[in-house]
């Protein structure tokens, strides 16, 4: 049996964050020695020796207090994969099981794969850890392990520290219910059988009477128990009592006054609260568990407990508040239907009414006032308490019993007295606020007191050792309201975390110093300026029903005379509604420690921050108070006038101002008199207010998703129910237009399918193709028979059914005689997987398309859009992407398709970066409409002249329409009547054509010689469509002539004209209310980069329109969406969340795309890449086993030609310590490595000397600190040297996702531990950015010992780990990739490569001087990302001093 006295000692707490380094893994410490001796590098897993488990592992762990660093070291030494799990059996000791549990908890805490959550069984080989094998191949052993853990978790003889770890394991299990084997073990613990533990049969019967389904489930559970043998009955009894036993033990622990000071007891109780909250937050686990929690009156017992009231237990109290929120969440536990605020309070009123009826029958004389009270006045208050005090103890207990409340407990520590019973009764009368009522009063603009709340400070300091009182995003949500509430709470906390960090960093840069009694700023930040106290200009009275002022206007004067012009213009271009922060700084004489970081005063005083208030910009003015215009912020040619001051008119946070003035008078005035600094944020980072307002409004409105998507979105029901094959409105036939290039392409796109030409065509024919799927029912699976019937029947294999597709065609209409009239056709030969994705996306319903790197996700998206546009002319499509670059790439391909540009619209500032001839912004489109109107009116004028129509027909769209009605349509009708008689031959039809003169400007004759009658009629049809298009477009342009306001024109364009509207997910979140209030309507949503977008950002684009009333006699509202297409790759990076607490603990980094994949929603995997050399694709193919290569990468010359000057097309280069140094960190998480930085720059210089274009080279770093260092080295050696210049991009791996370049130089940076490069997603991104050449700089010994990365680095390490060059080559070379050129020249280190490049440079310069060479062309490239912090270049001083020494090239 495991010891019972283990506790987490102080030394272990200090070592909590100690992470093993390469030295630890390869060193002579105890654990590394045991690993090498026992299981490392063994051909087969050794037999487990219990002596080793107990004496060598457990005893040492226990002695160190189970320090996290030791556990993490064991995890990295593969104790689970290589030793403990292969040797696990029913006879394994408790120590064996406990160490397995500890290691699994470490994996979860480190966000490492531990349950096989994100992959199917066919993909499980990509996960290099034992748990995947555990779940897939050894379910019986897992069941045994799970049962043993369950038993020990309620074993009171074990120490609380050990039981805390066991409960942590159970928390992970219940968060992994998408895994079938885990779900099988967890489900019985929360089944209806746990209602055996309700305090009375009457209490259970009352619950069963609420739903007939419950009675059926209860009878089935009882029947199963009665029919079982004794061992099975014992198992069933344990399952149905486990949660109840855990709760009773929890009650006992929190009620024990003698151990209230025990830290281990506190940690255990916090984890139990976390576990219970998780049960309450998912419907399948809540359905029966909620009744048990309420039956035990758990919430009021927690509130009355000594542990709850102890000072310093703020986290415990916050966790109890979160449990309270879910326990009283307004939802029907059985149906899952969310209750409105009115329905929720009506249920409570009905409960109070039943109590009053009980009182009237038996206690009227003693409780007369309570019996006759208004329901609204009956609450947990002093009046009610005073009246209930009049009852005797027996009466009070009897009243509780009649009211259905438990009053007796088996707990030994809980004090059973009158006060407990009274408090239980009073708690049942309490009226609770709904989450909508609570969220409405939560401020969105933070103050210092909010930013430094204890709960937010705990979140900032999260390290995984304790839970957090924040909601989690998981597989399922109770309702749409629950999902929106969780998202709002988490995003609000994340935003406030970022704001606090930004303000603290800015204040630190400003270097406040105390001079006398005043604070002066000796530093500088471009994002902050010292100011005098703001002047309050105007305080408007509150609006009706509100208590805060309607508006508080303030003026701040900025001294800008010492700012350079660029920084000054950044302040001058602040836009209305931008949020700035007014900060009161009082510098401290002494350095204050942060303490525990959980108090406002300590944490804020550390930085000298006294007050923080938010304000929104109303207007920026010059020194004379005149509004600044845009042209005033631009310098005049050759001269820039010196500016001294700028004034900013602000709208101060009215809620905070109201609270300030309601306080004591001196304190109220002190706040604004103490303000001495104004801080701003970059515009791309400062959208938190509008985004949070959108989330809160959606939460209050309870906006639904489409009814066909509702269950899948919430995580319930059949995961495939939202796909087109299960929907009643699926399309029977689809016109694929130009999707297929020819008949052979059509045949190869449907392997295993019979392609049948229609009856009209007996053989193959060319596109366009209309496909109709035959013999495919709308529901693929027949209803499943009952379990009993399935047991009685043998499995009969279903006969394979061949899918049949009927193909027909049509003649595309002639669109006009001019070259510009010809339709633009697709030229991509889509693969079968891409065709499947296009077909699914064109059909109604939900489509999930997984696109590995280079598999043509954007091409698929554009073709889906093209098909929808032409097949459904009345429908509108919304395009969403995470980044402007991805959206612009998609939009550029759409513009190249046969889509009328007047139907395209690009919203947001990213449109400025769109490389197209026309502008697709709202105002650009309006101008384009007006320009097109002028052009078409010119055509109308020419047309009128050619037919001799008198009058000014081209004055406006209205006159043009009149001209069409009076002159053009009658001519066409008369002419078509002649053609329709069928008596004229081709020449007669040509002679009668009335518009010869108009079409006389064609580059070639309108009618070819010897044209047949059918050909002539077809040409004339094209002429008709050409002229018709002129007037139809003028009809669309006409509203823009009538509307006067540019805003009205832009809104009309959005609401009425645009059919394909593109925006980023951030823009959608910011402008949701504005767009929806215009009456904006759309039918389809297509999201690119969907796996990089947080769940709420996935959801908001589905809710940019208001719900519409249901038709056909149905009541209610629904979203009129027809299609939702999510395109992305969950095996690459997830959304980037700054705070580890929210990304890992709360799972905020989860995307809707990933959750759908976890839920088992059918997906389509694109399986052929056409971006990279096949050899480079092999580096990440282990993540995508089915990935193949397109013919172009096998045959095109650029993929067959070697990289000039390099022996290999990819190589891992082992970079040793440089000047005795490896990695360094001048600030936390800002990791740098000068050796790799110098190597990367020298390699770039070498490539430039060989003639590689700078625009084809990108340098990536794993860390922002390394990126900053590489930029500094480049600036020092290359920027001003025409021979080298700068590479196209210097960025981090995370920011470079979605981009690519021909040649990538990658710096892994770390030399002691792999860091977050253990993340398979991040590594996949890093390895898949290069098309032709990838050169990775790193420390081999660090990465070759990481099991998760073995599949990738195994290929890399098959080649030499010293850079091998080929001499005598220039770019481009004619050498083919596999040509034998010998071993090449090895570069043995940074100095060697630097000297080699130096000599090459000298030779190049001499050649240029002699006229034997030319300087490379001057290339304009963009370095880095626009939104990266240009102040982040914090370089280690010692590294900066070393920049001049080693490999400088002049």
């Amino acid at each position: 049996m495991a010891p019972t006295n283990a506790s987490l000692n102080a030394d272990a707490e200090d070592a909590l964050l100690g992470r093993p380094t390469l030295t630890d893994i390869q060193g002579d410490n105890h654990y590394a020695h045991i690993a090498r001796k026992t299981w490392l590098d063994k051909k087969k897993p050794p037999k487990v020796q219990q002596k080793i488990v107990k004496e060598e592992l457990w005893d040492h762990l226990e002695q160190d207090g189970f320090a996290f660093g030791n556990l993490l070291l064991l995890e990295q030494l593969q104790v689970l994969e290589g030793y403990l799990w292969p040797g696990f059996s029913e006879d394994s000791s408790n120590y064996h099981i406990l160490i397995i549990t500890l290691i699994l908890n470490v994996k979860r805490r480190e966000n490492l794969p531990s349950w096989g959550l994100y992959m199917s069984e066919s993909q499980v080989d990509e996960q290099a850890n034992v748990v995947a094998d555990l779940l897939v191949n050894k379910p019986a052993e897992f069941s045994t392990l799970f049962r043993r853990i369950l038993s020990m978790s309620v074993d009171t003889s074990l120490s609380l520290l050990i039981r805390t770890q066991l409960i942590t394991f159970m928390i992970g299990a219940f968060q992994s219910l998408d895994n079938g084997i885990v779900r099988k073990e967890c489900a019985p613990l929360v089944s209806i059988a746990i209602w055996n533990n309700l305090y009375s049969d009457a209490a259970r019967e009352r619950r069963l009477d609420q739903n007939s389904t419950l009675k059926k489930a209860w009878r089935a559970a009882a029947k199963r128990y009665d029919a079982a043998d004794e061992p099975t009955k014992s198992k069933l009894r344990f399952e149905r009592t486990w949660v109840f036993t855990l709760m009773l033990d929890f009650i006992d622990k929190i009620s024990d006054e003698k151990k209230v000071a025990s830290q281990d007891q506190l940690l255990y109780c916090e984890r139990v609260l976390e576990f219970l909250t998780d049960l309450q937050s998912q419907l399948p686990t809540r359905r029966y568990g909620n009744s048990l929690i309420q039956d035990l009156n758990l919430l009021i017992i927690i509130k009355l407990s000594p542990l709850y009231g102890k000072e310093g237990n703020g986290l415990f109290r916050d966790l109890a508040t979160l449990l309270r929120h879910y326990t009283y969440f307004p939802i029907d536990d059985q149906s899952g239907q969310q209750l409105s605020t009115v329905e929720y309070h009506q249920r409570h009123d009905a409960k109070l009414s039943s109590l009053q009826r009980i009182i009237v029958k038996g206690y009227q004389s003693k409780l007369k006032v309570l019996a006759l009270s208004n329901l609204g006045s009956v609450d947990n208050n002093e009046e009610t308490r005073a009246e209930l005090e009049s009852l005797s103890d027996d009466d009070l207990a009897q009243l509780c019993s009649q009211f259905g409340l438990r009053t007796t407990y088996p707990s030994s520590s809980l004090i059973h007295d009158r006060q407990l019973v009274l408090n239980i009764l009073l708690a049942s009368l309490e009226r609770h606020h709904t989450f909508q009522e609570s969220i409405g009063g939560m401020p969105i603009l933070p103050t210092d007191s909010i930013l430094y709340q204890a709960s937010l400070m705990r979140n900032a300091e999260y390290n995984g050792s304790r839970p957090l009182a924040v909601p989690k995003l998981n597989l399922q949500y109770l309702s749409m309201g629950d999902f929106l509430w969780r998202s709002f709470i988490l995003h609000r906390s994340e935003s406030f975390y970022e704001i606090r960090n930004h303000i603290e960093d800015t204040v630190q840069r400003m270097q406040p110093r105390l001079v006398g009694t005043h604070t002066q700023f000796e530093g500088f930040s471009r994002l902050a300026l010292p100011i005098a106290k703001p002047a309050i200009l105007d305080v408007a009275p509150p609006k009706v029903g509100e208590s805060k002022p309607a508006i508080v206007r303030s003026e701040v004067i900025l001294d800008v005379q010492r700012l350079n012009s660029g920084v000054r213009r950044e302040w001058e271009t602040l836009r209305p509604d931008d949020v700035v922060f007014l900060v009161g700084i009082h510098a401290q004489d002494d350095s204050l420690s942060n303490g525990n970081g959980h108090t406002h005063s300590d944490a804020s005083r550390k930085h000298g921050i006294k007050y923080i208030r938010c304000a929104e910009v109303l207007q920026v003015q010059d020194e004379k108070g005149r509004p600044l215009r845009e042209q005033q912020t631009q310098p005049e040619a050759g001269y820039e006038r010196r500016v001294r001051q700028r004034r900013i008119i602000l709208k101060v946070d009215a809620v905070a101002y109201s609270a300030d003035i309601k306080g004591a008078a001196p304190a109220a005035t002190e706040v604004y008199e103490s303000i001495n600094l104004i801080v701003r944020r970059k515009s791309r980072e400062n959208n938190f207010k509008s985004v949070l307002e959108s989330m809160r409004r959606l939460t209050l409105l309870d906006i639904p998703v489409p009814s066909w998507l509702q269950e899948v979105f919430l995580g319930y029901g059949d995961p495939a129910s939202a796909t087109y094959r299960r929907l009643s409105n699926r399309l029977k036939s689809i016109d694929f237009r130009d999707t297929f290039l020819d008949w052979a392409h059509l045949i190869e796109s449907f392997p295993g399918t019979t392609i049948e030409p229609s009856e009209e065509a007996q053989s193959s024919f060319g596109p366009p193709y209309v496909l109709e799927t035959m013999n495919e029912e709308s529901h693929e699976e027949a209803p499943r028979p009952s379990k009993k019937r399935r047991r009685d029947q043998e499995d009969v294999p279903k006969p394979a059914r061949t899918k049949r597709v009927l193909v027909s065609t049509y003649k595309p209409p002639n669109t006009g005689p001019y070259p510009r009239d010809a339709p633009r056709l697709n030229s991509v030969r889509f693969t079968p997987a891409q065709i499947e994705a296009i077909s699914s996306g064109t059909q109604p319903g939900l489509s999930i398309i997984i696109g590995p790197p280079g598999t043509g996700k954007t091409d698929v998206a554009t073709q889906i859009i093209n098909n929808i546009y032409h097949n459904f002319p009345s429908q509108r499509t919304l395009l969403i992407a995470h980044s402007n670059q991805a959206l612009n790439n998609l939009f550029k391909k759409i513009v190249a398709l046969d889509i009328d540009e007047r139907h395209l619209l690009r919203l947001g500032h990213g449109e400025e970066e769109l490389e197209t001839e026309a502008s697709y912004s709202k105002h650009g489109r309006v101008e384009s409409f007006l320009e097109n109107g002028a052009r078409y009116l010119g055509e109308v004028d020419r047309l009128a002249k050619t037919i001799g129509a008198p009058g000014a027909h081209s004055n406006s769209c209205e006159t043009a329409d009149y001209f069409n009605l009076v002159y053009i349509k009658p001519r066409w009708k008369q002419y078509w009547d002649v053609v329709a008689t069928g008596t004229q031959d081709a020449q007669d039809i040509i002679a009668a054509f009335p518009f010869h003169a108009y079409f006389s400007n064609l580059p070639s004759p309108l009618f070819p010689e010897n044209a047949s009658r059918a050909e002539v009629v077809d040409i004339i049809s094209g002429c008709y469509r050409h002229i018709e298009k002129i007037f139809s477009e003028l009809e669309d342009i006409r509203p823009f002539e009538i509307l006067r306001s540019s805003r009205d024109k832009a809104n009309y364009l959005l609401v009425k004209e645009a059919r394909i509207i593109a925006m980023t997910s951030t823009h959608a979140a910011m402008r949701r209310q504005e767009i929806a209030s215009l009456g904006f309507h759309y039918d389809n949503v297509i999201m690119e980069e969907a796996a990089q977008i947080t769940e709420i950002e996935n959801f908001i684009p589905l809710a940019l329109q208001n719900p519409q009333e249901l038709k056909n006699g149905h009541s209610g509202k629904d979203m009129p969406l027809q299609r939702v297409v999510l395109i992305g790759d969950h095996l690459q990076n997830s959304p980037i969340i700054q705070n580890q607490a929210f990304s890992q603990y709360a799972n905020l980094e989860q995307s809707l795309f990933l959750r759908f994949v976890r839920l088992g929603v059918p997906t389509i995997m694109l399986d052929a890449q056409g971006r990279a050399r096949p050899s480079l694709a092999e580096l990440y193919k282990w993540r995508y086993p089915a990935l193949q290569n397109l013919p172009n990468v096998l045959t095109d010359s650029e993929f067959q030609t070697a990289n000039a000057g390099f022996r290999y097309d990819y190589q891992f280069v082992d970079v040793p310590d440089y000047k005795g140094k490896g990695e360094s960190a001048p600030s936390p998480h800002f990791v740098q490595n000068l050796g790799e930085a110098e190597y990367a720059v020298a390699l770039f210089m070498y490539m430039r000397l060989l003639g590689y274009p700078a625009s084809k080279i990108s340098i990536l770093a794993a860390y922002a600190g390394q990126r900053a260092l590489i930029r500094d080295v480049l600036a020092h050696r290359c920027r001003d040297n025409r021979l080298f210049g700068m590479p196209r991009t210097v960025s981090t791996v995370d920011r470079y996702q979605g981009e690519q370049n021909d040649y990538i130089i990658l710096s892994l940076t770390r030399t002691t531990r792999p860091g977050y490069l253990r993340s398979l997603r991040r590594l996949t991104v890093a390895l898949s950015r290069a098309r032709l050449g990838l050169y990775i700089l790193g420390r081999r010994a660090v990465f070759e010992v990481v099991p998760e990365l073995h599949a990738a680095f195994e290929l890399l390490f098959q080649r030499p780990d010293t850079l091998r060059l080929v001499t005598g080559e220039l770019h481009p070379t004619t050498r083919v990739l596999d040509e034998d050129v010998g071993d090449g020249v090895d570069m043995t280190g940074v100095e060697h490569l630097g000297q080699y490049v130096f000599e090459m440079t000298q030779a190049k310069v001499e050649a240029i001087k002699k006229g034997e060479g030319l300087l490379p062309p001057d290339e304009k490239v963009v370095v880095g990302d626009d939104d990266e912090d240009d102040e982040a270049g914090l370089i280690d001083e010692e590294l900066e001093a070393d920049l001049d020494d080693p490999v400088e090239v002049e």
Side-chain angles (χ1 to χ4, degrees), residues 118-119 123-128 1131 1182-1185 1320 1348:
Y118 307 135
M119 57 202 76
Q123 296 170 308
V124 84
D125 59 330
E126 74 190 51
Q127 181 178 355
L1131 298 181
W1182 57 281
R1183 290 284 272 165
Y1184 311 95
L1320 300 183
E1348 293 88 357

Side-chain angles (χ1 to χ4, degrees), residues 975-1158:
Y975 179 68
W976 284 122
D977 288 344
V978 172
V979 174
T981 60
T983 58
Q984 289 79 15
D985 60 15
Q987 294 304 316
D988 293 335
I989 295 175
I990 293 173
F993 184 58
F995 299 106
H996 278 288
Y998 176 74
F999 291 103
S1000 62
N1001 62 346
L1002 283 168
S1004 59
L1006 177 60
F1007 299 103
E1009 294 183 9
N1010 303 320
S1012 66
R1013 186 181 190 280
E1015 292 172 338
V1016 169
V1017 172
D1018 183 61
I1019 292 171
I1020 292 171
S1021 297
C1023 294
Y1024 171 79
R1025 292 188 181 90
H1026 178 88
I1027 294 176
E1028 184 185 43
K1029 182 181 178 182
I1030 293 174
F1031 292 104
S1032 67
E1033 294 226 8
L1034 286 172
E1035 185 178 352
D1036 288 342
I1037 295 167
R1038 186 174 178 182
F1040 296 96
E1041 286 187 343
I1042 298 172
L1043 296 171
R1044 295 303 173 197
S1045 163
S1046 59
R1047 183 183 183 87
D1048 290 341
K1049 293 177 182 179
N1051 290 339
Y1052 179 86
L1053 174 70
L1054 171 64
V1055 175
K1056 296 294 184 182
E1057 282 298 328
R1059 286 178 50 197
I1060 298 175
I1061 304 98
M1063 67 184 78
T1064 63
S1065 56
T1066 302
H1067 185 85
M1070 291 171 58
R1071 304 296 181 190
R1072 189 266 159 194
Q1073 180 57 29
E1074 177 185 335
I1075 293 173
S1077 63
L1078 294 172
F1080 178 58
H1081 164 74
Y1082 54 99
D1083 305 273
N1084 315 296
V1085 175
I1086 298 177
M1087 292 190 200
E1088 257 271 44
E1089 300 182 319
Q1092 287 182 262
I1093 305 175
T1094 60
E1095 277 207 80
I1096 188 64
E1097 290 178 308
N1098 284 129
F1099 170 76
I1100 290 178
L1102 308 182
L1104 285 182
Q1105 57 187 331
N1106 293 321
Q1108 297 182 359
E1109 294 288 346
L1110 294 174
K1111 300 178 180 179
N1112 301 324
H1114 297 285
S1115 60
K1117 294 184 177 182
D1118 195 10
M1119 281 292 186
L1121 279 179
Q1122 300 293 314
R1123 296 170 185 80
V1124 175
V1125 182
L1126 303 181
I1127 305 172
D1129 183 6
H1130 61 294
L1131 298 181
Q1132 296 188 57
N1133 277 348
S1134 56
I1136 297 175
I1137 305 299
Q1138 299 296 329
N1139 190 337
Q1140 184 184 21
F1142 304 125
S1143 64
Q1144 294 186 9
Y1145 180 84
N1147 207 19
L1148 187 55
E1149 66 178 4
Q1150 174 176 270
S1151 65
L1152 182 63
F1153 187 98
L1154 171 60
R1155 187 163 67 88
F1156 279 164
V1157 172
R1158 290 181 61 193

Side-chain angles (χ1 to χ4, degrees), residues 1-8 58 62 65-66 95 98 102 152-167 249 253 259 262 264-265 267-268:
M1 178 58 64
T4 63
N5 57 350
S7 63
L8 192 63
W58 179 264
E62 183 184 21
F66 302 101
Y95 300 108
L98 289 172
L102 291 170
M152 286 191 287
S153 67
V154 291
D155 183 353
T156 56
S157 66
L158 291 176
S159 72
L160 285 176
L161 178 61
I162 297 303
R163 293 180 64 195
T164 301
Q165 291 290 341
L166 297 170
I167 294 299
D249 179 68
K253 294 292 184 293
K259 296 182 180 180
S262 167
D264 286 352
Q265 184 148 310
L267 294 177
Y268 171 77

Side-chain angles (χ1 to χ4, degrees), residues 732-744:
K732 296 182 178 180
S733 65
I734 300 176
D735 179 2
F736 280 90
R737 293 177 54 81
D738 57 349
T739 303
F740 303 99
L741 304 186
D742 48 47
W743 183 265

Side-chain angles (χ1 to χ4, degrees), residues 76-262:
Q76 293 189 11
L77 289 169
Q78 305 177 56
V79 66
L80 187 63
E81 297 89 337
Y83 189 57
L84 294 177
W85 180 247
F88 176 78
S89 68
E90 291 185 357
D91 301 326
S92 295
S93 68
N94 283 351
Y95 300 108
H96 190 158
I97 292 171
L98 289 172
I99 298 176
I100 289 178
T101 305
L102 291 170
I103 300 302
L104 286 173
N105 289 344
V106 167
K107 285 181 176 291
R108 283 194 64 249
R109 180 168 161 180
E110 288 295 289
N111 210 24
L112 296 171
S114 57
W115 295 101
L117 287 176
Y118 307 135
M119 57 202 76
S120 65
E121 293 184 11
S122 62
Q123 296 170 308
V124 84
D125 59 330
E126 74 190 51
Q127 181 178 355
N129 82 64
V130 69
V131 186
D133 175 71
L134 177 153
L135 294 176
V136 175
N137 298 323
K138 302 174 74 173
E141 287 81 353
F142 176 74
S143 181
T144 301
L145 174 70
F146 194 88
R147 296 285 159 178
R148 295 279 296 275
I149 290 174
L150 279 180
S151 298
M152 286 191 287
S153 67
V154 291
D155 183 353
T156 56
S157 66
L158 291 176
S159 72
L160 285 176
L161 178 61
I162 297 303
R163 293 180 64 195
T164 301
Q165 291 290 341
L166 297 170
I167 294 299
T168 303
F169 172 88
M170 294 305 301
I171 290 170
F174 273 89
Q175 288 180 355
S176 309
L177 298 180
D178 54 321
N179 189 294
I181 296 177
V182 177
R183 184 172 61 249
K184 179 182 177 182
E185 301 300 328
C186 292
L189 304 179
V190 289
S191 71
I192 196 171
I194 66 174
W195 279 7
N196 280 288
N197 304 295
L198 296 179
Y199 87 99
S200 69
D201 292 342
R204 180 169 55 250
E205 288 302 321
R206 279 197 299 270
R207 288 172 170 82
L208 293 175
D209 288 341
Q210 296 174 5
N211 192 313
S212 59
T213 306
L214 290 176
K215 290 185 177 181
K216 183 178 178 181
W218 176 257
R219 288 194 296 268
K223 185 176 180 181
R224 181 187 175 203
Y225 179 81
D226 293 339
D229 55 22
E230 195 54 40
T232 305
K233 284 184 177 181
S234 176
K235 176 185 175 184
L236 293 175
R237 282 195 299 271
F238 176 76
E239 288 175 344
R240 73 192 189 187
T241 58
W242 181 80
V243 173
F244 182 68
T245 304
L246 182 69
M247 291 183 188
L248 291 180
D249 179 68
F250 172 72
I251 292 173
D252 189 58
K253 294 292 184 293
I254 63 175
S255 304
D256 190 348
E257 294 187 5
K258 297 178 181 178
K259 296 182 180 180
V260 72
S262 167

